[in-house]
Amino acid sequence: MKEKRLLIALASILILFIAGAFGLGSMPSTGSNAKTAFTIDKYNVSDREFEAFLQNNKALTTSYFKRTYNADYGKSFWTSTFNGENPLAYAKQKALDELTKVKVEQIIMMENGIVSDISYEAFLQSYEQENKDRAKKIANNQPIYGPQKYGIAEYYSYYQSMNVQKLIDKWTKEAKSTMSGDELKAYYDKVKQRYFHKGYAFDYEKISIHTEAGKQEQLTKIRQASIEKNIPVDEAAASLGVAVTTEQLTLDLEETSKEDTLSQNLYTRFLDFSTGEYSEIEQSDSEAYMYRLVAKRDKGLEKYEDVKSSVIQLYVKEMLETEVVKRLKETKVQLNKEVFHKITIKT
């Protein structure tokens, strides 16, 4: 089960990365009048593809300048300068960095036979064909997965992430036949705590008093007496003549729903608690309450033999990330200044 969740998470990370870099806003189409905005080594990148990434940096840029310089968005925003920083130049650099990384990934895919053409025009042809195929299936009452019709930005995210996954699958197959068991086990030992730790289970108490005037202050005194005298909370409450309700509870995320945000948040808080530590006092409509951690139980690690396939996928994913970083340092990005400097954000 843990292995399956990890593989799903890996796929989600890929999709979220592209969606985060590209956004899901509207994207302009490109046609015969497309111009080259810049080149990455020998590969041209069209102005329309760059404009799409630039447009999706609009909100990020306005937020950054508001947060950093308290700059309000207005007609002159993109042409103004704030402490030497220009919003349009900032957004264009962010878009250039993001698109360069995506195109480097696409170059690696092409070198490995995953795609044959990384131009924006080729992407649009794939996009149009995908929607035609979906429309045909719908007309023939055939099942389809995902939306009935893709938007361009939505399909860009899907297209890129699926091709990255194809590359990872190809490299995974190769790694299975070339990596020794010792190499793979050594990698597992390197990443096991991060990816294959089963987490913790917590035994804890919820101590509460039904809400009336002054009850929160009483709970504060009970906590203080328990800590100072090193006595159980019930004994501390009795010494102050106060009745409390103490529930003995256990928290294990494998036994809770992902929609149970209270348990998720409590788990995160308990990770930093020491045994015997109290939480801050909280208040609901009916009671004042606090938590005390009784025991923290380490659930150990997934066995190497049970997660071997996931270990290989992680290894390959790290290979790809390392290769992309290496290429980004080595690649030559050359702006077509005449085109690039004319590109602006549409308001």
Side-chain angles (χ1 to χ4, degrees), residues 148-319:
Q148 292 188 353
K149 181 178 181 180
Y150 274 110
I152 297 182
E154 186 181 19
Y155 186 68
Y156 194 107
S157 173
Y158 169 80
Y159 181 79
Q160 177 75 1
S161 63
M162 290 303 100
N163 284 332
V164 169
Q165 187 60 52
K166 288 178 184 177
L167 177 60
I168 288 176
D169 291 343
K170 179 179 185 290
W171 284 3
T172 297
K173 184 177 180 180
E174 293 170 356
K176 286 179 179 179
S177 62
T178 59
M179 286 186 73
S180 69
D182 289 343
E183 286 178 306
L184 198 57
K185 180 61 166 60
Y187 183 74
Y188 164 80
D189 289 336
K190 174 185 171 184
V191 301
K192 61 186 179 183
Q193 196 64 34
R194 179 178 178 186
Y195 291 107
F196 301 109
H197 184 243
K198 295 180 182 178
Y200 299 90
F202 300 100
D203 298 322
Y204 68 102
E205 296 174 335
K206 180 182 179 182
I207 303 111
S208 58
I209 302 178
H210 288 293
T211 301
E212 295 175 12
K215 293 299 184 183
Q216 191 163 352
E217 290 75 12
Q218 288 182 331
L219 208 52
T220 301
K221 291 178 181 179
I222 292 169
R223 182 179 62 186
Q224 184 177 356
S226 175
I227 294 171
E228 290 179 352
K229 297 178 182 179
N230 193 26
I231 57 176
V233 69
D234 291 342
E235 188 176 330
S239 70
L240 295 170
V242 179
V244 297
T245 299
T246 302
E247 298 176 75
Q248 306 293 331
L249 302 167
T250 296
L251 174 59
D252 186 337
L253 287 187
E254 288 194 356
E255 299 174 0
T256 63
S257 165
K258 289 185 178 181
E259 285 71 41
D260 185 351
T261 55
L262 174 60
S263 292
Q264 300 281 342
N265 292 336
L266 201 54
Y267 182 91
T268 301
R269 291 164 65 184
F270 282 159
L271 286 174
D272 296 326
F273 272 36
S274 301
T275 300
E277 185 174 345
Y278 287 94
S279 72
E280 294 300 316
I281 296 169
E282 301 177 45
Q283 184 84 41
S284 70
D285 292 338
S286 60
E287 62 183 3
Y289 60 94
M290 61 184 176
Y291 301 108
R292 187 179 80 90
L293 182 61
V294 176
K296 179 179 181 179
R297 292 179 276 119
D298 191 330
K299 297 171 65 178
L301 298 165
E302 296 280 353
K303 293 180 180 179
Y304 167 70
E305 294 76 13
D306 295 336
V307 294
K308 188 175 178 180
S309 295
S310 294
V311 174
I312 296 174
Q313 285 249 337
L314 283 170
Y315 178 82
V316 168
K317 181 175 178 290
E318 186 174 293
M319 275 179 56

